Amino acid sequence: MSQGSMVIPDTVCAFNRSVATNFLYLLPEIMCSLSGIASVAIIFYSFFLYGFRLLFHYNAKILMILLTIFILIFSLDIVYICARQVFIALTYQNDCDLVFETSSCSMFRRVALTCFVGVTSTQFCQMLERLIATVLEEKYEFQTQWLGGLFILFSVLSAILAIEWTLWNENPLEPMTHCLTYSASASIGERMYMVLYGILAVDLFILVVFFALWRKNKQKVLSAGLNKKYQQYENLVVLRALFPMVLLNSVFVSFYILIAVTVRQFRESMSILNYKLIAINTFIFPYVSLLLAVTILLTTRNEFRRRQQRKLKPNGKVTTQTYFNQYQRQWSVISDRKF
């Protein structure tokens, strides 16, 4: 039977129908759709209720916003892909309705995979940003806002380039059972697993740097001036907010990659049906995105409350900016005396 420019044997259509309508194939698609909807709802709820008025350094703030954007776009894409897949599986007219040309799925797969990589590249930039803040100490607060644009550029471009390289040899006529398929793809499978190995290495780096920064900033320097103590405090505030996100993404995504790589090693010893069922049931990033959205909600709520406390007038008259400026002048005087 033909579908557009692709001629599909009836046996292939029948097999894909048996996969796509399998309960163990439909269930994770339904769960992914619900996770995506919940993620989008939580992010919008967080934005409209608390906004992104974070009391972080400018660079830390915009990287947090970029991370949220990647999660939001990924969740919207997942909702469309999985809800459409479930709808077609429940309403198909013939078996070949459940087979898709790669060309019809390419854009949605490209968006999902780019956001998947983008979350890790953004967390890498978040660790790099806090590393620079720790090294530069008091000089970082007011002299490095220009770095934020470079961090965003690096995070977005690295994610895009990694996936464009992965999809460079994509076969537009390759039949797909699911629009997110990559592990079973003959044209992009090998390159995608190379990207996954790269993500695994970056996740390990993120965890090591995070705990090193946490330990470094927890060390109290009694002879340090107010500028340095303030920067240490700021580093700890940001790291404390990033901790659940770093843990969720690094640990769970690394766990998923290890499972995916292990299952792929035994691919030849199992049926195609079982391989596809394992692949879709172990794709946990939609659930990780949901947990990340929850942590973003908690972070924005905590920062909103911290901002409200900052707005409280220390003596009934002084505003937040005046209060900060007074201490900034004191820090500057102490810093000048040291030199």
Side-chain angles (χ1 to χ4, degrees):
M1 186 171 184
S2 64
Q3 188 182 81
S5 58
M6 178 174 59
V7 178
I8 309 172
D10 290 339
T11 53
V12 173
C13 292
F15 173 75
N16 276 273
R17 185 261 309 154
S18 68
V19 175
T21 57
N22 190 298
F23 175 75
L24 294 178
Y25 202 83
L26 281 174
L27 181 60
E29 289 180 334
I30 295 172
M31 296 300 294
C32 285
S33 298
L34 295 176
S35 295
I37 293 171
S39 298
V40 172
I42 289 171
I43 289 173
F44 276 105
Y45 177 79
S46 174
F47 176 77
F48 286 111
L49 192 62
Y50 302 117
F52 281 96
R53 296 182 293 274
L54 308 176
L55 287 177
F56 294 167
H57 186 276
Y58 173 78
N59 296 336
K61 184 188 302 183
I62 61 175
L63 284 173
M64 183 72 78
I65 293 173
L66 178 62
L67 181 70
T68 305
I69 291 173
F70 273 131
I71 295 170
L72 177 62
I73 295 174
F74 176 84
S75 299
L76 289 170
D77 196 54
I78 283 292
V79 169
Y80 174 79
I81 291 174
C82 292
R84 174 174 173 263
Q85 187 88 17
V86 171
F87 176 78
I88 293 174
L90 296 177
T91 62
Y92 71 96
Q93 299 297 315
N94 62 72
D95 292 348
C96 288
D97 290 342
L98 296 164
V99 183
F100 309 102
E101 285 187 5
T102 294
S103 58
S104 67
C105 290
S106 180
M107 181 181 70
F108 303 108
R109 179 166 67 178
R110 177 175 275 101
V111 169
L113 293 179
T114 299
C115 291
F116 174 67
V117 177
V119 170
T120 296
S121 65
T122 302
Q123 288 200 337
F124 172 83
C125 288
Q126 287 176 316
M127 291 302 101
L128 186 60
E129 186 266 341
R130 282 299 100 187
L131 177 62
I132 295 173
T134 300
V135 171
L136 294 182
E137 296 177 338
E138 60 265 28
K139 296 179 182 179
Y140 184 78
E141 184 66 20
F142 300 103
Q143 300 177 11
T144 57
Q145 291 192 3
W146 55 273
L147 282 174
L150 294 181
F151 287 136
I152 289 179
L153 188 64
F154 174 82
S155 179
V156 173
L157 282 182
S158 60
I160 291 174
L161 291 176
I163 296 307
E164 288 305 315
W165 174 79
T166 301
L167 301 180
W168 186 261
N169 296 322
E170 184 181 66
N171 179 6
L173 297 180
E174 185 177 13
M176 303 173 67
T177 311
H178 197 289
C179 275
L180 281 180
T181 298
Y182 65 85
S183 58
S185 172
S187 60
I188 72 165
E190 290 297 328
R191 288 196 172 192
M192 188 61 210
Y193 273 89
M194 292 176 67
V195 171
L196 292 181
Y197 283 125
I199 292 175
L200 193 62
V202 173
D203 282 339
L204 179 61
F205 171 83
I206 289 171
L207 285 173
V208 171
V209 172
F210 177 87
F211 287 111
L213 290 175
W214 181 264
R215 182 177 179 182
K216 171 66 176 176
N217 286 283
K218 285 289 285 185
Q219 294 175 351
K220 294 183 180 180
V221 182
L222 297 178
S223 60
L226 286 174
N227 276 335
K228 186 171 182 177
K229 288 182 178 179
Y230 171 79
Q231 189 59 54
Q232 282 185 313
Y233 170 76
E234 181 71 11
N235 286 337
L236 289 174
V237 168
V238 176
L239 289 172
R240 191 176 292 112
L242 293 180
F243 174 69
M245 301 179 198
V246 168
L247 193 65
L248 282 171
N249 188 61
S250 297
V251 174
F252 282 96
V253 170
S254 296
F255 180 68
Y256 159 70
I257 292 173
L258 291 174
I259 290 178
V261 170
T262 302
V263 172
R264 185 175 173 83
Q265 297 300 317
F266 294 95
R267 179 181 176 183
E268 299 300 326
S269 63
M270 62 180 70
S271 67
I272 299 177
L273 173 61
N274 289 336
Y275 182 74
K276 287 178 177 287
L277 290 177
I278 293 173
I280 195 169
N281 279 279
T282 55
F283 185 58
I284 63 173
F285 194 70
Y287 315 121
V288 176
S289 294
L290 174 59
L291 295 176
L292 287 173
V294 172
T295 60
I296 289 170
L297 171 63
L298 297 176
T299 299
T300 53
R301 186 192 65 181
N302 292 338
E303 284 300 295
F304 176 81
R305 291 175 177 175
R306 194 159 71 100
R307 191 180 185 88
Q308 293 300 106
Q309 292 174 356
R310 282 281 187 94
K311 286 182 179 180
L312 295 176
K313 301 175 183 179
N315 59 6
K317 295 180 180 180
V318 183
T319 64
T320 304
Q321 188 60 44
T322 305
Y323 184 69
F324 183 81
N325 289 339
Q326 286 178 350
Y327 277 91
Q328 180 58 39
R329 285 195 293 270
Q330 293 176 32
W331 298 334
S332 299
V333 170
I334 293 174
S335 180
D336 290 340
R337 287 177 179 173
K338 288 174 66 178
F339 293 99

